[in-house]
Amino acid sequence: MYKKRKLFCEISPLTYKISVIKCQFMRYMKDLFIRNLATSKSNDLLPFLIYRQSSLIRRKLGDVDPLLQDNKAINLSLAAPKISRVIIRPGEILSFWKLVGPCTIKKGYKDGLVISNGRTTKGIGGGMCQFTNLIHWMILHTPMQIIEHHHHDGMDLFPDNGRQIPFGTGTSIVYNYIDYRFKNTTNITFQLITYTSKEYLNGEIRADKPLECKYHIRVEDEFFSKEYGQVYRNGKVFRHCVDLKTGKLISRELIKINHAKVMYDVSELNIVDLHK
């Protein structure tokens, strides 16, 4: 029987670390040639509020250790000011990791919840995925172009207990080679505001002029299926663009098709068995 050959990064912890360093170095070298990364900030808020969102920091996630949630709150409070008040001018690209930098113990970051290879574990700086989830959700409500976005693809890790945004609109990041990036392809200047309160990670998108349309994210055809003994979450995520003056639908864009393996207790779910 053929045995699948291990990748170099899978041989040992040392080879994994070497692979990570290689990926980080390659990203660093590529970024040396990008001249339009958004880095400047302004203490003055741009006049037009485009979208606002808050994300609950301590949400019950299965049997996750509450300490990891508390640590996540600390991590987010350290990272949020790194992004806040950044200006994204026409033609500029925002890189999450370029602004936040590495999350290290020396900087005060603690062990928080991270997702690796479809499983939950802990790691220094855990909670940054929630940060990019918030940013991604806000950017979906603007005309800016998302140019790098990674999913925790194929896995539905937590039940919908207090879920605020649709499944399938999340992000996956790893410093610095798995990033979240978007580009301002408009003639409008935008500003990103991020901060933490006691219970929430908060964000705003502001601009120097109002938008002519509004965006709505909708999940359609969502259901749970049982396929050869395994339960999956299915659905399609659409983005609707609506003209603010007329209320007419300008565009309807399919942004994600979900078919994710459910990794939690399914006893309370309404499941369609596709292979009876």
Side-chain angles (χ1 to χ4, degrees):
M1 184 177 178
Y2 174 74
K3 187 176 181 180
K4 185 179 177 181
R5 185 177 179 182
K6 285 186 177 181
L7 298 174
F8 177 76
C9 62
E10 298 173 326
I11 296 174
S12 71
L14 177 60
T15 60
Y16 176 79
K17 187 173 183 179
I18 292 170
S19 297
V20 168
I21 293 172
K22 174 189 172 184
C23 290
Q24 290 175 339
F25 177 74
M26 290 177 64
R27 170 70 74 157
Y28 173 77
M29 294 302 296
K30 287 179 181 178
D31 283 352
L32 288 177
F33 298 95
I34 300 177
R35 303 299 181 190
N36 58 336
L37 290 177
T39 56
S40 62
K41 294 185 177 185
S42 173
N43 289 327
D44 297 324
L45 300 183
L46 293 183
F48 295 96
L49 176 64
I50 304 302
Y51 196 80
R52 175 184 286 141
Q53 180 70 23
S54 295
S55 176
L56 187 65
I57 294 175
R58 296 172 181 84
R59 183 166 72 90
K60 182 172 174 54
L61 299 173
D63 57 356
V64 172
D65 185 349
L67 178 60
L68 295 182
Q69 298 275 37
D70 292 337
N71 288 349
K72 178 177 70 172
I74 294 171
N75 295 339
L76 290 172
S77 72
L78 292 171
K82 304 286 188 182
I83 295 279
S84 195
R85 298 180 181 265
V86 67
I87 298 291
I88 310 102
R89 296 182 177 86
E92 288 189 331
I93 294 169
L94 186 139
S95 160
F96 178 82
W97 286 125
K98 178 67 175 179
L99 294 175
V100 172
C103 301
T104 63
I105 295 174
K106 188 176 181 179
K107 293 181 179 180
Y109 290 93
K110 298 183 179 297
D111 269 334
L113 177 68
V114 298
I115 298 170
S116 177
N117 297 320
R119 296 166 52 184
T120 57
T121 183
K122 63 181 180 178
I124 298 299
M128 294 304 105
C129 283
Q130 182 171 348
F131 198 172
T132 49
N133 287 353
L134 178 80
I135 295 172
H136 177 56
W137 179 250
M138 293 194 296
I139 298 306
L140 285 174
H141 291 81
T142 78
M144 288 188 282
Q145 181 184 1
I146 297 159
I147 60 173
E148 183 174 348
H149 174 212
H150 305 271
H151 291 275
H152 290 298
D153 236 0
M155 299 287 179
D156 182 8
L157 294 168
F158 305 112
D160 293 348
N161 182 15
R163 184 185 296 279
Q164 296 175 298
I165 63 176
F167 179 82
T169 56
T171 59
S172 175
I173 55 170
V174 178
Y175 182 81
N176 61 353
Y177 57 97
I178 299 180
D179 201 0
Y180 179 78
R181 298 187 176 197
F182 61 88
K183 184 176 183 179
N184 185 357
T185 52
T186 76
N187 63 355
I188 301 171
T189 295
F190 290 91
Q191 185 180 36
L192 185 55
I193 310 297
T194 55
Y195 60 97
T196 57
S197 58
K198 185 176 180 180
E199 296 182 359
Y200 291 94
L201 172 65
N202 306 283
E204 296 179 5
I205 294 283
R206 306 188 73 92
D208 65 348
K209 61 184 75 171
L211 300 185
E212 296 179 352
C213 61
K214 190 172 184 178
Y215 297 87
H216 302 279
I217 314 301
R218 300 283 185 266
V219 178
E220 300 180 15
D221 304 324
E222 187 168 60
F223 67 97
F224 291 92
S225 64
K226 191 172 186 180
E227 304 170 33
Y228 302 107
Q230 176 62 54
V231 176
Y232 291 85
R233 181 195 285 262
N234 306 273
K236 298 176 182 178
V237 185
F238 289 90
R239 182 167 72 156
H240 294 182
C241 181
V242 178
D243 188 289
L244 281 172
K245 290 183 179 178
T246 66
K248 291 183 178 180
L249 182 66
I250 298 173
S251 65
R252 181 174 181 265
E253 175 191 5
L254 176 64
I255 59 175
K256 183 72 167 64
I257 297 176
N258 292 321
H259 184 67
K261 185 185 294 185
V262 177
M263 306 299 289
Y264 49 84
D265 180 15
V266 300
S267 60
E268 300 296 322
L269 301 179
N270 184 19
I271 302 168
V272 178
D273 194 335
L274 298 184
H275 297 286
K276 276 188 174 181

